[in-house]
Amino acid sequence: MPVFAIFRGSRLVRRVTLDEPVLKIGRVEGAQLHIEDNEVARMHAVIEVEGDNMTIIDLGSQNGTWVDGERVNKREITLGSRILVGQTTIVVERDDAPPEQRALLVPTPAIVRDRMGDAFAPTEVFGVCAIVLRVDGIRREAWSDDAELGEKLFASYPRGAIASPEIGVARSFKTIDDAQTTNLRRCSTCVIRPGFEPCSLCLGSGRGDETRGLLQCMGCDGAGYLKCTACDGTTRVVACAVRYVNDQVIRVRRALVPSVHASIRPFIEARIPVDAPWPQSNAFDPEPSMVASAYRGASAAIRAAEDFHGYYFGDALATCLQTREELTTGLARFEMQTFAVPVLWTVTGERHDAFFFDPRAELVHVGRAND
């Protein structure tokens, strides 16, 4: 079934899924695609649906019907077609379009009032914008230790360039540190008896636990010594440096809400789904919005742009950049995503409410009385 996304300018008004053979477009109340736009006729156009085929027909409207920039009387439309009537744009979408391709949904007072009815009667309305910050990274610890390895073991050790860290992959490994010199020399572990080392159970005595009647060590069968594990009994080892690498996965998800009333702020943060697949229309890069910020040594945050479709970030921008700097310092590799979430914050007497759209296009309502 086709989905029709209705926009006024760049703002999505609503999304309608319809399964009817004839769809009316206009200001008339009975129109399936009812549009409140003074430049749209009461009966402006119709869309005829037959199987997978759709055709739009203009009904003689004064301002005309436009499809993909061209005025039409009758035109076949497909998924992705953009229909302009008056100041309203209708985009034909799929009902199974992935979340990342969905259009931006902004909780305007008109949309919230339409959903809430007469219950929505705030005395004050503010448009603020939260930020979803996601960081996936790798913190790498690496160090070298001197070691003596048997010749066979030395030959089997990996060497060469250290593998680059991979996002989301935790691992530990070791290699020969080729930056350090290696040399073949006599094993220092088995100097008392070349090629052998004292048994770890009896420490070379060969005796067992006499209190239990064990007169002979079970670890070495009374011999007292075992083949040297360092040189494998050859008495020769390779002195080298072994480099150890430990990659730790770093995964952080945070909702950064600007300074709204303290009674509701933590509840907004808790309700924003930070790990959900947010649409790309919500994607936001905070870096160009900041000319200078406190973490760079400036005395105050100076914003070149402080809003997102008319919703203001407030102190969330500076918090986002400071948090990002703290999270990524010392990481060997990281990927970061930031999404803007417009929030309608309203005040009604002693009550504070917030409304925002989640990634599934569901309107979320958070309410809290001022205690």
Side-chain angles (χ1 to χ4, degrees), residues 69-85:
E70 181 179 348
R71 185 166 183 169
V72 301
N73 290 321
K74 183 177 182 179
R75 166 74 67 85
E76 183 178 344
I77 57 175
T78 59
L79 295 174
S81 294
R82 301 180 67 88
I83 304 165
L84 177 65
V85 289

Side-chain angles (χ1 to χ4, degrees), residues 10-339:
S10 61
R11 183 168 297 172
L12 179 64
V13 177
R14 68 183 184 278
R15 183 180 280 107
V16 183
T17 302
L18 296 169
D19 185 20
E20 299 181 32
V22 179
L23 310 175
K24 301 173 184 177
I25 303 174
R27 288 188 292 111
V28 65
E29 289 293 337
Q32 288 85 349
L33 293 174
H34 173 68
I35 297 174
E36 292 291 344
D37 184 336
N38 291 332
E39 296 186 25
V40 173
R42 285 177 52 81
M43 283 293 293
H44 196 103
V46 295
I47 296 175
E48 295 181 346
V49 182
E50 185 176 353
D52 293 333
N53 300 318
M54 293 181 289
T55 304
I56 188 168
I57 304 170
D58 182 75
L59 299 179
S61 63
Q62 181 177 350
N63 295 319
T65 300
W66 304 70
V67 177
D68 296 330
E70 181 179 348
R71 185 166 183 169
V72 301
N73 290 321
K74 183 177 182 179
R75 166 74 67 85
E76 183 178 344
I77 57 175
T78 59
L79 295 174
S81 294
R82 301 180 67 88
I83 304 165
L84 177 65
V85 289
Q87 297 296 317
T88 302
T89 301
I90 304 172
V91 181
V92 185
E93 300 179 346
R94 293 175 59 97
D95 61 345
D96 58 351
E100 62 271 14
Q101 296 179 10
R102 293 173 183 163
L104 176 68
L105 282 169
V106 178
T108 63
I111 291 176
V112 175
R113 186 176 291 109
D114 182 60
R115 304 286 183 92
M116 301 288 292
D118 295 338
F120 183 74
T123 54
E124 295 180 89
V125 177
F126 306 94
V128 299
C129 204
I131 298 176
V132 171
L133 174 62
R134 302 203 294 227
V135 175
D136 292 283
I138 290 292
R139 177 170 286 113
R140 167 164 284 185
E141 298 177 349
W143 66 95
S144 293
D145 280 339
D146 293 334
E148 289 184 345
L149 303 178
E151 293 178 276
K152 290 183 179 179
L153 183 59
F154 175 79
S156 68
Y157 256 54
R159 50 177 45 81
I162 297 176
S164 300
E166 296 182 31
I167 300 295
V169 179
R171 57 185 177 180
S172 297
F173 56 93
K174 51 191 176 183
T175 65
I176 299 297
D177 190 346
D178 288 331
Q180 305 295 324
T181 59
T182 61
N183 60 82
L184 187 65
R185 69 186 187 193
R186 189 177 182 86
C187 177
S188 63
T189 302
C190 54
V191 292
I192 298 176
R193 183 178 174 186
F196 294 88
E197 60 184 9
C199 172
S200 60
L201 293 180
C202 66
L203 302 178
S205 68
R207 295 192 300 270
D209 187 352
E210 296 180 2
T211 61
R212 299 171 56 194
L214 301 175
L215 302 179
Q216 180 177 292
C217 176
M218 298 182 63
C220 61
D221 293 330
Y225 284 79
L226 299 169
K227 186 166 65 172
C228 179
T229 55
C231 65
D232 198 29
T234 65
T235 73
R236 297 195 306 173
V237 293
V238 179
C240 60
V242 176
R243 188 164 184 81
Y244 299 87
V245 179
N246 182 37
D247 287 345
Q248 177 186 1
V249 173
I250 304 298
R251 185 176 184 275
V252 180
R253 302 288 187 267
R254 291 188 184 174
L256 307 173
V257 177
S259 295
V260 297
H261 196 273
S263 67
I264 197 172
R265 186 174 184 175
F267 296 93
I268 301 175
E269 293 174 346
R271 292 292 301 277
I272 293 177
V274 292
D275 211 14
W278 286 92
Q280 283 303 306
S281 54
N282 287 80
F284 172 76
D285 182 4
E287 190 69 37
S289 301
M290 305 294 289
V291 176
S293 65
Y295 84 89
R296 290 176 178 165
S299 59
I302 305 172
R303 299 176 182 82
E306 59 179 6
D307 69 333
F308 183 80
H309 296 269
Y311 286 66
Y312 289 85
F313 289 103
D315 60 350
L317 274 178
T319 302
C320 177
L321 290 174
Q322 292 168 1
T323 304
R324 183 184 68 174
E325 183 74 4
E326 294 169 1
L327 293 174
T328 58
T329 297
L331 296 186
R333 185 178 177 185
F334 68 89
E335 294 175 351
M336 186 187 70
Q337 291 179 308
T338 46
F339 299 93

